[in-house]
Amino acid sequence: MFSYPKWLILAIVVGLYLPVAIDATVLHIAVPTLSQELKASTSQLLWIIDIYPLLMAGLILVMGALGDKVGYRKLMLMGSIIFGIASVLAAFSPTANFLIFARAILALGASMIMPATLACLRHTFMDEKERNFALGLWVMAGGAGAAFGPLVGGLLLEYFYWGSVFLINVPIVILVSICILKYLPKQNFIHEKKLNILDALILIAAILLVIYSLKSGLKEFDPQFILLGFTGVVLGFLFVKRQIKSNQPLFDLKLFTSKPVKYGFTISVVAMIALVGFELLISQKLQYVYQFSPLEAGLYILPFMIAVSVGGVISTPLLNKFGTKKVAVVSLILSSVSMYFLSVVNFETEYLFASFYMILLGLSILCAFLAATSAILSGAPIEQASSAGAIEGMSYELGTGLGVTIFGLMASFFYTKNVDFYRFFSVDQLKTVESSIGQTYQALPSLSPESADIIMKSANSAFVMAHSSVLIFSSLILLFLAIFIWIFWRETSPKTLSI
């Protein structure tokens, strides 16, 4: 089907995109390890994980325009170099705050790589069938990388120190950078292309301020957090206003007048929130409550990872046969059912039961996500395909970041409500120790063996209740969204997806 250079370019693109996808989830399994090794607080752990997708949500829009201006070859090279340097910084981070900084630099490099790899495929594969095949491999690499990230992290943590989850990126980046220089052709630049850097910064500031105020304000009431959150909302409105007035917006907000785009974006964000949030909390539950090693925890959720990876195989014929709306609604309902039963299962003694619902969750969530992607792309005019792609990419990253934040905050809230350690710690210590199971475990070495055992059992019981409460809440949200979509989304014509 392809000539040799095209195959080679495709291999380069997939090879560069794979570590970007893996880095989005590789730390989910490492939360207990990072909590112990870096003495990271609950807030720091959440920032370590979700600073990566949240920054990408804002940066990816302007990087697409930068790629048009300087060419995808140069953007891929810059992105891979920055990603490699940031991986080294992250691997040798001496503190939690430094790791947050390194993850932010990783996001900068990744936000260059994603649009550059897609642009490279569009320019390399001019034939539609060849391009669809190449895009299918690109999507598969992204889905498999994100799904298997926790297993990769667990495998490395089992035999090496925690920084190895970042160091594996370095040889890949070096090899790919050499291949980019040697095999990728140079392109003509669009020097007059305008870069909306200011708008991107406004969007990033709005997202980070709102997330920071939520994380901090829900734990301790303080007027400054309300002010910061309000400032973030104002910046968000400013961003929208500037996009409406701009001749060259980061993406055309008028696309949201299309119901498929509007509802597709909503489904995509919610589906990613559920996907990432579930993966994050189940990893902690298996390691803290059931004392699994990182590798054992990664292997336990392998059925879920496989289901997410292969979900695309069954989703395309379903979309073509039943239409986007029906697939989205049924997928959301099945995801809701899966979440509920996973909230009551005993993961230690009912593995087959848990595996069945993890598989169902993985397949249904991915079908919902791909139905949303189909709705966004098909709901936009062909001449605005790039803007639709930017909206789809932003929904993915925003959902990933919000999943970590929302699930993390809910777990912390329910955990705090179900523990009572006043007999073992001072008043000053209680606020920290009771904030999360990770903080509780950090305090165990300072207690006597008898007290530590009591605290650990109480903490495990509280986290099980917190985990169940969060999954039940998520189940209800998914169900309400399915009902909302079914009632208010009126498809004007059947939609199909060709991959």
Side-chain angles (χ1 to χ4, degrees):
M1 183 184 293
F2 301 124
S3 61
Y4 174 77
K6 289 183 179 180
W7 272 112
L8 184 58
I9 291 174
L10 179 59
I12 293 171
V13 166
V14 171
L16 183 57
Y17 181 48
L18 192 59
V20 172
I22 290 175
D23 262 45
T25 59
V26 72
L27 288 184
H28 291 181
I29 207 79
V31 168
T33 302
L34 292 175
S35 177
Q36 295 296 322
E37 295 292 332
L38 296 179
K39 305 301 179 186
S41 66
T42 305
S43 179
Q44 287 174 321
L45 286 171
L46 292 179
W47 277 116
I48 287 170
I49 295 171
D50 65 6
I51 191 66
Y52 183 80
L54 289 175
L55 279 183
M56 283 185 67
L59 289 171
I60 198 171
L61 300 174
V62 73
M63 291 306 168
L66 179 61
D68 292 337
K69 185 177 181 67
V70 304
Y72 66 78
R73 180 178 182 269
K74 184 174 290 186
L75 190 65
M76 282 178 68
L77 189 61
M78 289 191 299
S80 63
I81 292 173
I82 292 174
F83 196 81
I85 293 173
S87 295
V88 175
L89 293 175
F92 295 104
S93 297
T95 64
N97 287 335
F98 191 90
L99 182 54
I100 294 171
F101 166 76
R103 289 276 287 173
I105 304 302
L106 274 169
L108 174 62
S111 66
M112 294 179 177
I113 291 171
M114 282 191 68
T117 53
L118 279 173
C120 179
L121 293 181
R122 287 198 300 268
H123 283 79
T124 303
F125 299 98
M126 304 305 294
D127 179 78
E128 184 178 358
K129 291 183 179 179
E130 291 185 349
R131 184 168 59 251
N132 285 339
F133 181 82
L135 287 172
L137 289 181
W138 185 88
V139 171
M140 186 181 299
F148 281 87
L151 181 58
V152 172
L155 182 63
L156 291 170
L157 289 173
E158 186 78 9
Y159 300 105
F160 307 101
Y161 91 113
W162 65 265
S164 60
V165 300
F166 297 108
L167 287 180
I168 59 169
N169 297 331
V170 177
I172 298 175
V173 164
I174 293 174
L175 178 61
V176 170
S177 298
I178 293 173
C179 291
I180 290 172
L181 289 170
K182 188 171 182 179
Y183 297 109
L184 262 62
K186 296 182 179 180
Q187 305 89 45
N188 295 324
F189 306 152
I190 308 177
H191 293 290
E192 67 274 12
K193 182 76 175 182
K194 182 182 177 181
L195 294 181
N196 266 320
I197 297 178
L198 177 59
D199 287 355
L201 293 176
I202 292 174
L203 177 60
I204 292 170
I207 293 173
L208 294 183
L209 284 174
V210 171
I211 295 298
Y212 178 77
S213 65
L214 284 174
K215 289 180 179 179
S216 303
L218 289 179
K219 293 179 180 179
E220 180 182 1
F221 177 79
D222 192 317
Q224 70 172 342
F225 297 137
I226 297 177
L227 179 61
L228 288 174
F230 179 75
T231 302
V233 172
V234 171
L235 288 176
F237 279 111
L238 176 62
F239 172 79
V240 171
K241 186 176 181 179
R242 287 177 62 88
Q243 295 310 292
I244 294 174
K245 291 184 176 181
S246 175
N247 294 325
Q248 293 186 7
L250 288 178
F251 62 85
D252 190 356
L253 290 175
K254 294 178 182 178
L255 287 174
F256 282 99
T257 59
S258 166
K259 283 191 175 182
V261 173
K262 179 167 52 181
Y263 293 134
F265 180 85
T266 303
I267 294 169
S268 181
V269 171
V270 174
M272 285 308 303
I273 288 174
L275 179 69
V276 172
F278 168 78
E279 202 171 63
L280 175 65
L281 290 188
I282 188 63
S283 300
Q284 295 183 61
K285 184 175 182 178
L286 292 173
Q287 292 180 76
Y288 281 127
V289 178
Y290 300 122
Q291 296 296 299
F292 283 24
S293 70
L295 178 58
E296 290 171 338
L299 289 172
Y300 189 98
I301 58 177
L302 185 61
F304 175 74
M305 301 174 191
I306 295 174
V308 171
S309 301
V310 304
V313 177
I314 66 171
S315 61
T316 300
L318 290 175
L319 287 170
N320 288 333
K321 183 174 178 63
F322 298 107
T324 305
K325 176 184 173 181
K326 289 181 180 178
V327 171
V329 170
V330 173
S331 296
L332 289 171
I333 291 174
L334 290 177
S335 298
S336 173
V337 171
S338 303
M339 282 284 196
Y340 172 76
F341 281 103
L342 286 169
S343 72
V344 298
V345 69
N346 186 313
F347 287 92
E348 188 174 30
T349 61
E350 300 176 310
Y351 178 70
L352 291 179
F353 186 74
S355 295
F356 173 79
Y357 284 105
M358 282 194 289
I359 291 172
L360 182 60
L361 177 63
L363 291 175
S364 57
I365 278 288
L366 192 71
C367 284
F369 179 69
L370 291 180
T373 300
S374 174
I376 293 171
L377 296 180
S378 62
I382 187 66
E383 64 272 13
Q384 291 184 293
S386 295
S387 293
I391 290 174
E392 192 274 337
M394 182 181 177
S395 70
Y396 176 89
E397 299 302 335
L398 193 60
T400 302
L402 289 176
V404 174
T405 300
I406 294 173
F407 272 62
L409 288 175
M410 285 197 299
S412 179
F413 172 80
F414 287 118
Y415 177 80
T416 302
K417 293 296 182 182
N418 286 292
V419 293
D420 189 358
F421 300 145
Y422 74 94
R423 291 185 295 130
F424 302 94
F425 299 99
S426 66
V427 176
D428 294 334
Q429 292 175 311
L430 278 178
K431 183 186 295 186
T432 300
V433 173
E434 293 184 348
S435 64
S436 71
I437 192 171
Q439 295 289 130
T440 302
Y441 268 67
Q442 284 187 29
L444 293 182
S446 64
L447 302 173
S448 66
E450 295 78 11
S451 297
D453 185 61
I454 294 173
I455 290 291
M456 187 168 65
K457 289 179 179 179
S458 176
N460 290 345
S461 176
F463 191 81
V464 168
M465 294 180 66
H467 183 248
S468 297
S469 300
V470 170
L471 291 188
I472 291 173
F473 179 83
S474 302
S475 174
L476 292 174
I477 293 297
L478 290 169
L479 180 60
F480 289 149
L481 179 60
I483 295 172
F484 177 84
I485 294 296
W486 180 255
I487 294 174
F488 292 101
W489 185 2
R490 294 283 186 263
E491 286 185 306
T492 56
S493 61
K495 307 296 181 185
T496 61
L497 180 68
S498 176
I499 292 182

